[in-house]
Amino acid sequence: MSVTRRQLMWATAGIGAAGVLAACGGAKPGAGSTAPSSGAAGEQPRSGGTLKIGALGRASAVTRDPHGTQSNESDYLIISLLYDTLTIPGDTTNTAPRLAASWKPSEDLRTWRFTIADGATFHDGTPVTAEDVVWSLKRLRNTPSGKSRLPGIQPEGIQAEDARTVVLVSDYPNAELPLLTRLTTFVLKKDTKDDALAGAPGTGPFKLDWYRDGNARLVRNDRWYGGKPPLDAVEVRIFESPQAMANALLAGQIDVASNVGAVAARTAEARKDVQILRRPNDMAMPVVMRTADGPFADARVREALRLAVDRDAMVKQVLSGYGTVANDILGTGDPVYAKDVPQRRRDLDKARQLLAEAGFDTGRTYDLITTEDIAGLAESATLFATQVREAGVKINVVKQDSKVFWDATWLKGQLYTSYWGTNDSVVFFASKTMLSDAGQNEAGWNEPAFDEAYRKAMGTADATERGKLLHQLQEIEYAGSGYLLWGMADGIDLAGSAVRGLPTLPGYGRVQLEKTWLAR
């Protein structure tokens, strides 16, 4: 299992080199979107208080390594509050400054220079240097999934130019390189030993007070370069199920139940003392069909399955209406998302015809492998199986333990469910999951035309022209990839009535709690 699974992933697309530079000018670290106050108009943030927040995770999968495999959302939340990435999602631009105050590309779009924010220090008071960042990025790149975390960047392409400037050199022109720094580029002090990670100082808005069995208390970092956070402390509690977390919120044991799912939201709708925060386009739960070999390698078979799905029913039944119909293109929240591509509709007659033309064996029963990692995932597999049976395809849903799934099925299975906790970038998914040499090519897709379109788009500095090329990229994906993306789930948080300023951005943006405060 990779660090980009079950995490709050982000990405960016549609911002050209000029747009990226404009986004950085004068922006303040942590400038993200937050929920409007539910209190009186003109209510001002107040300082103080401890926010108790629940997050999903399993005690058996706890990790303290910022660059390690983080299968628990609770771990990722804790790490994101302690350690800063170079950039983060923004409310007016897809990429906003964080530990990197600004960045600038070379003319050929292969070399990018990132400047460290003024006043950035570690929790022990020592200044952050370019050497710290370089050491951290090289450590990240050298992890087992480092290629997918920093695609196109080799360890030798990460260098310090001076005390505050980090240089990243790409293997190819990449107008969207800053998007690579929005997920796991957590910065540690140079030469931090693996056995010292548990207490290693970070640069984030909160410092570690204590950590116990996946639960943690973090206290405000008064010297944070992004400004003093309102909260005195954040306590993160780990929960193994969304329902247990929702029950704790309804009982007043925690202030926020994060990423709790549609079922819990329906339960809380009658409670006037509970806020329901929805983040559209937050979670993608596609069915992955292996294209390299096996029964789904024929593009006609994949198209037949896409046509056999009743997408409206999937959204209504699996997501309880907390979501939207999708069109088999990942990155629906991207400004350059191809909204004009015709929406696929259910057509059972056409599906049966395509299966017959492909010589698909409808006498067999095919396993669809899924997990119960997130709310609705296994349910989506069951409903999918019911729907495609009407086209003559018999599916047996197999629920696997999470560890077995990620070790044995993910990237290898013929037919399985996947999920991604971000969806704001076409480029993100192209670079990480669909290029022929992508480190996380879930469907084993090898399409030279797609690869060529991607490279051409990334080598185009003009944002308008690049948008046109990315449209072509999406048309190729729509026609032949191994993804069946039937819908997009809303991200849902439940919060007590006193909570203010929770982030409303999807994916990684929702763990930025430096503006959150309590009206009590």
Side-chain angles (χ1 to χ4, degrees):
M1 178 177 174
S2 166
V3 71
T4 53
R5 316 305 305 142
R6 196 168 177 173
Q7 283 183 345
L8 313 176
M9 295 183 308
W10 49 259
T12 180
I15 301 180
V20 167
L21 293 173
C24 290
K28 186 176 181 179
S33 176
T34 56
S37 170
S38 62
E43 191 176 26
Q44 295 299 311
R46 57 177 294 182
S47 182
T50 296
L51 180 76
K52 297 178 181 179
I53 182 169
L56 293 172
R58 297 179 185 275
S60 60
V62 164
T63 182
R64 305 289 297 277
D65 188 346
H67 301 148
T69 298
Q70 299 150 12
S71 57
N72 288 338
E73 290 192 5
S74 53
D75 291 332
Y76 195 69
L77 173 58
I78 293 167
I79 287 170
S80 298
L81 296 174
L82 293 175
Y83 304 94
D84 283 320
T85 50
L86 293 183
T87 64
I88 59 171
D91 55 353
T92 57
T93 62
N94 275 1
T95 303
R98 190 68 162 197
L99 192 57
S102 61
W103 45 89
K104 184 177 181 179
S106 59
E107 288 188 9
D108 65 1
L109 300 178
R110 290 191 59 187
T111 301
W112 287 75
R113 287 172 170 80
F114 292 79
T115 302
I116 298 171
D118 288 336
T121 64
F122 289 100
H123 293 154
D124 62 4
T126 57
V128 180
T129 70
E131 291 289 348
D132 295 314
V133 177
V134 168
W135 181 86
S136 298
L137 294 184
K138 286 187 175 181
R139 183 177 188 270
L140 173 68
R141 181 60 178 80
N142 288 323
T143 60
S145 56
K147 179 182 177 181
S148 62
R149 292 167 170 178
L150 291 174
I153 298 176
Q154 305 302 323
E156 58 270 22
I158 305 171
Q159 301 292 333
E161 185 172 81
D162 55 43
R164 296 185 60 235
T165 306
V166 177
V167 179
L168 301 183
V169 180
S170 175
D171 292 340
Y172 50 85
N174 191 345
E176 302 283 3
L177 187 144
L179 74 85
L180 304 180
T181 68
R182 289 177 50 189
L183 177 58
T184 52
T185 56
F186 297 112
V187 173
L188 301 163
K189 295 186 74 170
K190 182 181 178 181
D191 296 327
T192 299
K193 304 299 183 184
D194 288 349
D195 59 4
L197 289 172
T203 65
F206 294 89
K207 303 183 295 184
L208 183 64
D209 183 14
W210 54 255
Y211 184 96
R212 300 170 190 151
D213 301 322
N215 304 296
R217 176 180 169 86
L218 315 175
V219 296
R220 178 172 55 218
N221 177 12
D222 291 322
R223 295 183 296 187
W224 189 52
Y225 62 94
K228 184 178 178 180
L231 292 168
D232 287 336
V234 176
E235 291 186 5
V236 179
R237 286 186 55 185
I238 185 173
F239 289 87
E240 291 204 354
S241 74
Q243 191 57 54
M245 183 165 56
N247 290 341
L249 182 284
L250 296 176
Q253 297 169 357
I254 57 176
D255 301 303
V256 179
S258 61
N259 206 28
V260 74
V263 174
R266 290 296 185 203
T267 302
E269 284 178 345
R271 291 281 296 264
K272 294 183 179 180
D273 59 335
V274 175
Q275 303 177 67
I276 301 175
L277 288 83
R278 298 176 63 168
R279 299 180 308 277
N281 289 303
D282 189 61
M283 179 71 71
M285 293 190 286
V287 173
V288 180
M289 303 170 286
R290 185 166 177 81
T291 67
D293 49 52
F296 308 103
D298 192 314
R300 292 170 296 184
V301 174
R302 301 196 298 275
E303 178 68 7
L305 291 180
R306 295 188 185 104
L307 292 173
V309 173
D310 184 337
R311 297 161 194 261
D312 291 312
M314 293 284 283
V315 170
K316 182 178 180 180
Q317 296 180 46
V318 175
L319 305 179
S320 298
Y322 282 88
T324 54
V325 167
N327 200 26
D328 306 313
I329 299 174
L330 291 156
T332 60
D334 195 323
V336 301
Y337 173 72
K339 297 179 180 178
D340 58 338
V341 172
Q343 175 65 55
R344 277 195 175 93
R345 304 290 181 186
R346 197 179 201 202
D347 189 336
L348 293 174
D349 290 338
K350 181 65 174 178
R352 296 187 191 101
Q353 177 187 336
L354 288 169
L355 292 172
E357 291 175 358
F360 185 76
D361 186 356
T362 55
R364 282 183 55 189
T365 297
Y366 302 87
D367 286 344
L368 169 59
I369 303 177
T370 188
T371 72
E372 295 181 306
D373 279 0
I374 60 170
L377 190 64
E379 292 81 359
S380 73
T382 299
L383 184 55
F384 171 84
T386 300
Q387 291 183 349
V388 300
R389 190 176 185 88
E390 296 182 55
V393 180
K394 295 189 285 292
I395 297 291
N396 174 48
V397 175
V398 178
K399 297 180 183 178
Q400 281 185 341
D401 173 78
S402 182
K403 186 179 187 305
V404 174
F405 178 87
W406 296 112
D407 288 345
T409 299
W410 186 55
L411 303 181
K412 308 175 188 73
Q414 297 290 341
L415 187 68
Y416 62 94
T417 60
S418 183
Y419 63 92
W420 291 88
T422 191
N423 207 42
D424 64 355
S425 173
V426 168
V427 168
F428 174 88
F429 288 108
S431 65
K432 292 187 179 293
T433 74
M434 281 177 275
L435 291 179
S436 300
D437 61 351
Q440 298 173 350
N441 190 332
E442 293 185 306
W445 197 35
N446 187 334
E447 177 50 68
F450 186 87
D451 295 350
E452 182 181 358
Y454 174 81
R455 301 292 188 212
K456 189 174 181 180
M458 293 303 93
T460 302
D462 182 79
T464 301
E465 288 302 312
R466 188 166 67 259
K468 294 177 182 178
L469 293 169
L470 290 174
H471 192 285
Q472 296 175 15
L473 188 82
Q474 293 172 77
E475 291 177 326
I476 298 171
E477 176 186 348
Y478 175 85
S481 86
Y483 285 111
L484 191 165
L485 182 61
W486 51 268
M488 286 300 304
D490 292 346
I492 301 171
D493 296 338
L494 302 183
S497 59
V499 179
R500 304 286 189 273
L502 280 176
T504 58
L505 289 172
Y508 179 53
R510 72 178 178 84
V511 298
Q512 308 302 328
L513 301 178
E514 65 272 4
K515 292 184 179 180
T516 303
W517 57 285
L518 295 170
R520 64 185 183 208

